[in-house]
Amino acid sequence: MALVKYNNNSISAITAAAGLANGAMTLIKTLTASSSATLSFVDGSSDVVFDNTYPVYLFKFINIHPASTQPFLFQASTDTGSSYGVTMTSTAFRVYHNEAGTATSLSSDTGNDQAQSTSFQKLHGNITNANDHGGSGELYIFSPSSTTFVKHFLSTINASLDDAVVQEQFIAGYFNTTSAIDAIQFKMNSGNIDSGSIKLYGIKDS
């Protein structure tokens, strides 16, 4: 992501807002959960852009709070959200630490790997529904509209497993399709997303 810095001299030389350089990351859409079964971003629907306008798309998860303690999932569509089940292969690892400092781990998370599966991918294991807890992180998807290459993605989310353990989950993989992906859906493994928001950004390549 490109950052543009201005000093007093450069600001004084600008005569119109159009003279300001644009950053490389553009907010496209924010969805806010309210006891929502799913949150879906569909290209061409409700001002969502998810096509060849940007080479990289970034989803930011902000305080995702489930109605009940559940894993947080996502999948893609090649038919503008009529169905979600694109074949993917993924790999996962995680690190956790408890408040007492008596339990730590860094390990491969083979239970969340997928091998040519059409199932929803777990982005994080159980996110607790304690009132003061939630999950936050991000997911990158690269060139989703390509009709030549598979579509790579990578994600990291930090959340609480219970009242005394924090876990960072790392997921990477690819959708094994050369069809354009035009929709992404998020949900809990069971039950609703009680609250929280997901922001979609487009990232320019220059």
Side-chain angles (χ1 to χ4, degrees):
M1 291 170 280
L3 296 177
V4 179
K5 284 190 173 182
Y6 296 100
N7 55 35
N8 288 337
N9 290 333
S10 61
I11 290 294
S12 63
I14 295 173
T15 58
L20 291 168
N22 293 322
M25 191 166 75
T26 300
L27 177 62
I28 296 171
K29 183 73 175 182
T30 300
L31 294 181
T32 300
S34 179
S35 296
S36 305
T38 61
L39 293 177
S40 303
F41 294 81
V42 181
D43 181 51
S45 175
S46 301
D47 300 320
V48 171
V49 175
F50 199 70
D51 55 20
N52 62 359
T53 302
Y54 300 95
V56 182
Y57 287 87
L58 169 63
F59 295 91
K60 285 189 173 288
F61 313 115
I62 302 169
N63 293 329
I64 300 299
H65 186 266
S68 60
T69 301
Q70 292 289 332
F72 183 52
L73 319 176
F74 94 113
Q75 243 293 3
S77 173
T78 59
D79 54 15
T80 58
S82 294
S83 62
Y84 291 90
V86 180
T87 300
M88 74 169 80
T89 292
S90 63
T91 186
F93 74 96
R94 62 188 175 185
V95 57
Y96 72 81
H97 190 200
N98 70 347
E99 292 179 3
T102 57
T104 62
S105 177
L106 171 61
S107 62
S108 176
D109 185 14
T110 56
N112 283 335
D113 291 346
Q114 298 206 89
Q116 293 299 95
S117 172
T118 58
S119 298
F120 272 70
Q121 172 67 50
K122 289 182 181 179
L123 292 173
H124 197 284
N126 287 338
I127 298 177
T128 181
N129 68 333
N131 289 336
D132 58 346
H133 287 173
S136 297
E138 57 190 19
L139 166 68
Y140 288 88
I141 299 181
F142 301 88
S143 299
S145 64
S146 173
T147 55
T148 302
F149 300 106
V150 299
K151 320 301 187 294
H152 293 271
F153 62 84
L154 56 90
S155 172
T156 177
I157 295 180
N158 182 33
S160 301
L161 288 181
D162 56 37
D163 286 341
V165 177
V166 63
Q167 178 170 290
E168 185 87 358
Q169 186 89 42
F170 300 85
I171 306 290
Y174 59 87
F175 291 104
N176 194 8
T177 180
T178 55
S179 297
I181 287 175
D182 51 19
I184 299 291
Q185 185 175 91
F186 301 94
K187 66 179 184 178
M188 307 310 298
N189 189 58
S190 179
N192 292 337
I193 304 173
D194 178 58
S195 62
S197 60
I198 303 177
K199 292 180 175 289
L200 170 62
Y201 295 86
I203 301 178
K204 299 176 182 177
D205 56 2
S206 63

